[in-house]
Amino acid sequence: LGENGNGKTTLVKLLLGELEPSEGEIFRAGGARLALVNQHHAAQIDLTLSPLQYMIEKFPGDGSYVHEQALRSHLAGCGVTSEMMALPASALSGGQRSRVALAAVSYTKPHVLVLDEPTNNLDLESVVALADCIDSFEGGVVLVSHDQYFVSRVAKEVWLVEHGKVQKAASFEAYRAAQLAKLQ
């Protein structure tokens, strides 16, 4: 958490290896798989392809029927119905496209999901569905969000990015109370 301009996105980029630190060092486990989900993740889907076609193009595998069934099963597990799998992505709602994008991200079986404002452009039903997915995810999650419902629903620990430092906060509720006190 932290106010705008305090370095949350910079921290995300450092975690992902998109930036190198100007001081100090970052150590990443060699085999760790990190996956980014940001507010534009659904916009990266080719709207002319169906969700199944998109997944097959992104993960061609061996081209077998078994591989296609695995992709179908994974999409279904992410809330993409068999009817939606056959429609072009242009016919899906923004929330449905987000489910397809999340299916693509989770198919790589990342150890850590990095979520940078993932609820922007999502309807309430999709935000709840994303929170449910995060709750069942067995890996680590790093979340940057202004969505108070989402943060309070999924955050297990809260870290504050402020004044060039990252420090553990007591809780989201404590952080929120401190921010409200500043406004009064």
Side-chain angles (χ1 to χ4, degrees):
L1 300 171
E3 294 181 22
N4 288 341
N6 276 349
K8 298 179 303 290
T9 298
T10 300
L11 178 61
V12 165
K13 289 180 178 182
L14 287 165
L15 288 171
L16 294 170
E18 294 175 8
L19 288 177
E20 290 300 318
S22 55
E23 290 182 34
E25 295 178 272
I26 295 176
F27 296 95
R28 292 177 198 87
R33 290 185 303 274
L34 281 73
L36 172 66
V37 176
N38 63 29
Q39 60 188 317
H40 308 294
H41 65 279
Q44 298 165 0
I45 296 173
D46 183 338
L47 298 179
T48 65
L49 299 176
S50 72
L52 181 59
Q53 290 169 324
Y54 172 74
M55 291 292 284
I56 289 171
E57 188 173 285
K58 193 162 181 69
F59 307 104
D62 60 6
S64 69
Y65 175 77
V66 171
H67 179 67
E68 181 179 320
Q69 290 307 109
L71 293 174
R72 285 179 183 276
S73 176
H74 186 74
L75 281 164
C78 293
V80 181
T81 66
S82 57
E83 294 81 20
M84 291 181 343
M85 285 183 215
L87 295 172
S90 61
L92 302 176
S93 72
Q96 291 168 332
R97 277 185 238 145
S98 282
R99 291 176 189 204
V100 174
L102 288 169
V105 166
S106 63
Y107 191 75
T108 63
K109 298 183 178 162
H111 298 112
V112 178
L113 282 176
V114 180
L115 306 167
D116 190 1
E117 296 293 350
T119 61
N120 287 7
N121 309 316
L122 295 184
D123 58 27
L124 183 56
E125 180 183 328
S126 298
V127 171
V128 171
L130 178 58
D132 290 343
C133 289
I134 298 302
D135 284 342
S136 64
F137 181 66
E138 294 182 10
V141 176
V142 175
L143 168 65
V144 174
S145 179
H146 289 97
D147 186 323
Q148 292 184 30
Y149 163 78
F150 191 69
V151 172
S152 64
R153 169 83 193 278
V154 302
K156 307 293 186 256
E157 293 182 5
V158 179
W159 293 78
L160 181 60
V161 180
E162 188 175 52
H163 307 300
K165 296 179 182 177
V166 181
Q167 298 177 26
K168 189 171 182 179
S171 68
F172 177 67
E173 291 73 23
Y175 171 78
R176 186 169 51 190
Q179 292 303 101
L180 289 172
K182 285 182 186 178
L183 296 174
Q184 295 176 356

